[in-house]
Amino acid sequence: MSNFSSQLRASSALIKRLRQNRFPSTYPAAAAAARSFTTTECNRPTIVHKRSLDILHDPLFNKGTAFSMTERDRLDLRGLLPPNVMTSEQQIQRFMADLKRLEVHARDGPADPNALAKWRILNRLHDRNETMYYKVLIDNIEEYAPIVYTPTVGLVCQNYSGLFRRPRGMYFSAEDRGEMMSMVYNWPAEQVDMIVVTDGSRILGLGDLGVHGIGIAVGKLDLYVAAAGINPQRVLPVMIDVGTNNEKLLKDPLYLGLQEHRLDGDEYVEVIDEFMEAVYTRWPNVIVQFEDFQSKWALKLLQRYRNSYRMFNDDVQGTAGVAIAGLLGAVRAQGRPMIDFPKQKIVVAGAGSAGIGVLNTARKTMARMLGNNESAFESARSQFWVVDAKGLITEERENIDPDAQPFARKVNEANRQGLGEGASLVEVVRQVKPDVLLGLSAVGGLFSKEVLEALKESTSTRPAIFAMSNPTNNAECTPDEAFSIVGDNVIFASGSPFRDVDLGNGRVGHCNQGNNMYLFPGIGLGTLLSGSRIVSDGMLQAASECLAAYMTEEEVLNGVIYPSTSRIRDITKEVAAAVVKEAIIEDLAEGYRGVDSRELQRLSQVRLYFCLEDTVAYFGTFFTRFYCKSRYSLSWKVVYLVASIAGGALGSCKNREQEILLEREQNNDNFSENFN
Ligand SMILES: NC(=O)c1ccc[n+]([C@@H]2O[C@H](COP(=O)([O-])OP(=O)(O)OC[C@H]3O[C@@H](n4cnc5c(N)ncnc54)[C@H](O)[C@@H]3O)[C@@H](O)[C@H]2O)c1
Ligand SMILES: O=C(O)C[C@H](O)C(=O)O
Ligand SMILES: [Mg+2]
């Protein structure tokens, strides 16, 4: 008998004995360790000598969502699976529904009918071999960011029950109240640097997707790894399942989450508090990014935690930073200095957490440019017209949302312009003739033909349109519509990627992607490396200014106001450096790993970049290991060298880095001159 077939026989005999619940006497250590069992269909216990994720990753023992709550507790699985316990029949139904879904999508699916299939293939690779997965992602970021991130990630969340194979991340549910502090130890990693958490209540512009919204946290963390070089073993996607108000999901037998209405009020806050306490107890240095919480809670939770925890809200703060950078780019694209920003007339459609975040930051930015005093702040207010689902917001609005209140137009002022409470978007655009029309409404096509026709009368030489809602179908208008109706000169940005527009005669209408992905990885990385205890307004402002200054004069004059996705690693590094620098200036930096706060203070800007190179180079080691098939145990500095020699992932050498640095320093100086 060949060696291989004897091994095969021995292992099938072992499996058989395990299934018959007999300890393998030849494996005394394993047998002694086997204290728990999982129950099979016929209720005969199966001995398992594994715990936690090892069970879920072992096809012999894994029952996925069919593990009962008792089994989940006994096997340290609590929190590692979506909360809804399913029968094996339901599991099969889910699988079959997914199998059939491809046909449906191919028939009446989205712009790229293969997007879900591509996601599946990448996801399987992610499950098998993380190194290779991230190498593929980094090397093809422009092609695959739209698959693992916006817009396909939205489709993935919408179809999550069928796509669910192996769980990724942790689930804390309303049923886990009182248990979170111990559950958090079920996660196998000793160190976690970044958590992206959602409660699934507003996934992109797709509304309440409940527990299926975990896909968004996974997608954001993919960018943390690919763009910021964060160690993939130290990221943790989290879903806090407090129920769902999505009636379809509440009735769907295949839904993976709690089938009850969302907790609200104090009960809701208590769950989030318990989660925050649990994760910060286990990982005191972790950074928590809040993602896609409905506006009702997004701003409140941000205020509640931002001064005591190292956290930020991407939709409020990341989006605001990206929007400001784009708005300043639009000013430059008109051939004007950034300091002219306070003269811009801006119509914002959407007053949710994203819209309010942008409005607050834009107003503060204008106020700083106007002298940074009370009257500057007051006068900046009059540059904004905010339209929500009920039309123009004025001081006459009943039950006005307190967050929108500061932007309500004064009644006299509005009347003078021929506008009243609730005026429609088209009326507002017609009367105001704005420089900028910015959409964060989640309403696809809101910038209709009439609205765009009205924008043609803009007083700006080069009006700007930001159709920032996601995913693709929710964009307020397409770039084709913008360029064909408003004119070739328009500046256009959208939250989800679109192709550039051919304007004929070799001219191109640039479609910029105005997405918070250009900031959040750098904000997270900068906060991590500085060891700042909080994410301050100054750090966020530095990130935004860095993105604004990143684009050259020539680029902005050509209508390119954001970098392409292919430059995301470079811009992330720049943003992170700006954030670290600001944390040092504000005396918030407490250091990271071997670099303590005093050493950080002493770091010259040049060395700061080198340190960042070390981190961004992290995958250099991975890749080197992957391709050379040898193991390295290297200090960061050596990692850097290995990575630069290996090229590939890092693709730059110290000298070039220094040059880039000098260029940027100049840009930053220019920026500060304009800005102050
Ligand atoms: N590009 C980015 O980086 C980015 C970042 C964050 C959010 N977003 C997108 O922004 C959108 C909104 O997010 P949110 O959290 O603020 O959502 P939200 O649902 O809380 O807010 C939507 C706002 O739009 C308003 N609205 C609805 N219909 C309208 C209409 N017909 N005219 C004008 N306003 C209307 C609502 O009244 C509300 O104020 C989502 O699609 C999200 O994907 C994009
Ligand atoms: O996720 C994105 O693509 C951007 C943003 O965070 C959103 O919620 O739409
Ligand atoms: Mg978001």
Side-chain angles (χ1 to χ4, degrees):
M1 193 167 52
S2 75
N3 204 17
F4 176 71
S5 44
S6 66
Q7 274 173 7
L8 197 67
R9 271 203 202 166
S11 56
S12 14
L14 172 62
I15 291 160
K16 208 164 154 193
R17 280 207 298 277
L18 272 172
R19 291 227 163 106
Q20 287 168 349
N21 187 21
R22 281 176 19 212
F23 286 131
S25 53
T26 42
Y27 293 92
R35 278 188 296 275
S36 296
F37 58 87
T38 165
T39 3
T40 59
E41 287 299 286
C42 50
N43 241 358
R44 207 183 307 136
T46 298
I47 306 294
V48 252
H49 37 76
K50 289 185 172 178
R51 285 292 178 285
S52 185
L53 283 184
D54 288 341
I55 296 180
L56 300 180
H57 293 174
D58 183 339
L60 282 178
F61 294 114
N62 183 26
K63 298 198 303 192
T65 49
F67 278 115
S68 69
M69 283 320 278
T70 338
E71 286 173 320
R72 293 180 191 202
D73 276 337
R74 206 185 297 131
L75 301 172
D76 296 343
L77 290 174
R78 195 163 179 143
L80 301 183
L81 284 161
N84 199 355
V85 175
M86 301 224 149
T87 62
S88 50
E89 287 77 21
Q90 284 173 313
Q91 286 182 308
I92 290 169
Q93 267 183 45
R94 261 192 8 240
F95 173 79
M96 291 309 292
D98 180 45
L99 202 59
K100 300 282 169 211
R101 194 166 286 129
L102 258 189
E103 295 164 23
V104 177
H105 279 293
R107 205 174 47 233
D108 36 62
D112 178 358
N114 298 322
L116 267 189
K118 287 183 195 165
W119 181 87
R120 271 204 201 105
I121 293 169
L122 287 169
N123 187 51
R124 280 203 296 266
L125 179 59
H126 200 178
D127 284 345
R128 277 198 312 276
N129 183 338
E130 295 228 353
T131 305
M132 197 169 145
Y133 172 72
Y134 286 111
K135 171 76 175 147
V136 168
L137 185 55
I138 292 169
D139 285 354
N140 303 281
I141 191 80
E142 244 175 325
E143 190 174 355
Y144 295 131
I147 302 294
V148 304
Y149 185 69
T150 304
T152 310
V153 72
L155 200 56
V156 168
C157 293
Q158 287 176 305
N159 294 289
Y160 201 72
S161 79
L163 293 170
F164 179 85
R165 295 287 178 276
R166 278 189 191 177
R168 185 169 288 282
M170 287 197 80
Y171 300 82
F172 294 88
S173 89
E175 306 279 290
D176 296 321
R177 277 174 278 186
E179 301 290 333
M180 294 183 198
M181 196 61 92
S182 56
M183 275 168 72
V184 81
Y185 287 89
N186 285 344
W187 187 250
E190 279 308 314
Q191 268 204 53
V192 171
D193 291 335
M194 278 306 315
I195 287 178
V196 175
V197 61
T198 182
D199 69 354
S201 54
R202 189 288 271 150
I203 297 300
L204 304 174
L206 303 169
D208 182 346
L209 297 186
V211 81
H212 295 172
I214 182 120
I216 198 78
V218 174
K220 294 270 170 184
L221 285 164
D222 273 349
L223 288 196
Y224 266 109
V225 176
I230 304 282
N231 183 339
Q233 291 164 10
R234 295 201 195 156
V235 300
L236 172 57
V238 171
M239 157 55 59
I240 301 185
D241 184 359
V242 293
T244 176
N245 292 342
N246 180 329
E247 293 301 323
K248 219 171 128 210
L249 294 178
L250 285 169
K251 289 191 202 111
D252 181 357
L254 306 183
Y255 176 56
L256 292 168
L258 288 187
Q259 287 189 301
E260 49 198 55
H261 282 103
R262 283 186 176 276
L263 290 185
D264 205 358
D266 291 346
E267 273 192 306
Y268 173 80
V269 177
E270 279 161 23
V271 172
I272 314 289
D273 279 353
E274 186 180 338
F275 159 77
M276 292 295 270
E277 227 181 295
V279 292
Y280 281 98
T281 301
R282 179 158 186 211
W283 300 295
N285 297 321
V286 72
I287 300 160
V288 178
Q289 170 171 325
F290 276 59
E291 193 66 49
D292 290 8
F293 281 70
Q294 58 181 319
S295 297
K296 174 176 167 185
W297 286 112
L299 292 154
K300 286 196 184 82
L301 294 177
L302 179 61
Q303 289 319 322
R304 187 174 181 85
Y305 301 128
R306 70 169 304 194
N307 295 322
S308 39
Y309 290 117
R310 222 182 200 199
M311 59 80 65
F312 69 101
N313 181 303
D314 180 38
D315 297 294
V316 180
Q317 297 165 298
T319 311
V322 165
I324 301 304
L327 290 169
L328 294 173
V331 178
R332 289 167 75 198
Q334 295 166 19
R336 296 161 72 177
M338 281 192 264
I339 199 79
D340 275 1
F341 180 50
K343 295 182 192 146
Q344 300 279 292
K345 291 177 287 175
I346 302 177
V347 171
V348 175
S353 62
I356 294 293
V358 171
L359 284 160
N360 282 327
T361 311
R363 182 179 181 183
K364 277 190 208 147
T365 307
M366 285 185 180
R368 272 200 316 279
M369 290 178 168
L370 291 170
N372 217 6
N373 50 37
E374 191 95 342
S375 77
F377 191 65
E378 191 42 42
S379 97
R381 191 194 62 83
S382 61
Q383 297 308 113
F384 303 97
W385 287 258
V386 186
V387 177
D388 71 357
K390 296 181 182 154
L392 178 70
I393 302 182
T394 69
E395 285 178 342
E396 266 181 354
R397 173 73 61 96
E398 279 172 24
N399 300 324
I400 189 165
D401 175 354
D403 294 313
Q405 216 284 330
F407 298 97
R409 296 298 299 186
K410 294 194 190 316
V411 177
N412 291 345
E413 214 177 65
N415 289 345
R416 268 201 306 276
Q417 280 187 308
L419 294 168
E421 164 59 37
S424 70
L425 182 62
V426 67
E427 284 176 82
V428 173
V429 174
R430 235 176 241 144
Q431 299 302 332
V432 175
K433 307 183 193 320
D435 300 87
V436 178
L437 178 57
L438 188 148
L440 281 162
S441 64
V443 181
L446 180 68
F447 299 165
S448 60
K449 190 163 178 281
E450 292 71 38
V451 171
L452 295 176
E453 295 276 2
L455 189 64
K456 274 166 84 171
E457 304 306 314
S458 160
T459 46
S460 168
T461 50
R462 213 170 174 186
I465 299 173
F466 291 77
M468 292 184 78
S469 292
N470 294 316
T472 316
N473 286 345
N474 290 54
E476 283 79 3
C477 69
T478 65
D480 287 285
E481 290 161 346
F483 286 103
S484 64
I485 301 175
V486 188
D488 293 355
N489 208 21
V490 76
I491 301 292
F492 183 86
S494 54
S496 301
F498 281 91
R499 272 193 241 289
D500 286 343
V501 177
D502 181 356
L503 300 176
N505 300 329
R507 288 167 318 129
V508 172
H510 284 284
C511 180
N512 298 278
Q513 192 175 357
N515 190 293
N516 49 30
M517 71 197 215
Y518 289 118
L519 284 191
F520 72 77
I523 294 172
L525 178 60
T527 307
L528 179 73
L529 295 185
S530 67
S532 174
R533 302 310 309 164
I534 57 161
V535 183
S536 71
D537 277 339
M539 287 156 72
L540 295 163
Q541 187 190 321
S544 174
E545 288 175 9
C546 172
L547 178 60
Y550 189 78
M551 306 312 293
T552 64
E553 212 56 33
E554 196 189 337
E555 284 169 327
V556 290
L557 289 175
N558 276 327
V560 182
I561 54 167
Y562 292 115
S564 77
T565 328
S566 60
R567 287 155 83 188
I568 195 163
R569 281 166 75 81
D570 191 49
I571 180 61
T572 296
K573 191 179 58 186
E574 302 270 348
V575 168
V579 170
V580 174
K581 199 170 159 189
E582 179 61 26
I584 295 171
I585 292 168
E586 290 184 31
D587 211 11
L588 291 169
E590 294 186 4
Y592 176 70
R593 291 215 187 156
V595 185
D596 68 15
S597 57
R598 267 170 312 172
E599 200 181 334
L600 254 185
Q601 303 269 7
R602 282 198 303 269
L603 275 182
S604 70
Q605 181 72 356
V606 175
R607 282 218 40 222
L608 198 59
Y609 271 92
F610 289 166
C611 286
L612 287 172
E613 273 303 306
D614 285 348
T615 313
V616 177
Y618 178 84
F619 276 96
T621 38
F622 252 109
F623 299 146
T624 320
R625 194 161 64 197
F626 183 63
Y627 288 110
C628 307
K629 305 234 184 309
S630 60
R631 290 197 160 268
Y632 290 95
S633 166
L634 303 167
S635 78
W636 273 28
K637 296 286 176 284
V638 186
V639 165
Y640 169 73
L641 286 175
V642 171
S644 3
I645 293 161
L650 188 61
S652 66
C653 66
K654 280 191 185 185
N655 288 343
R656 213 195 101 210
E657 199 52 39
Q658 239 157 336
E659 275 168 33
I660 292 170
L661 171 76
L662 291 175
E663 271 173 36
R664 292 287 164 253
E665 284 281 271
Q666 254 168 344
N667 278 351
N668 281 338
D669 284 345
N670 289 344
F671 181 82
S672 324
E673 260 168 42
N674 285 330
F675 198 79
N676 290 319

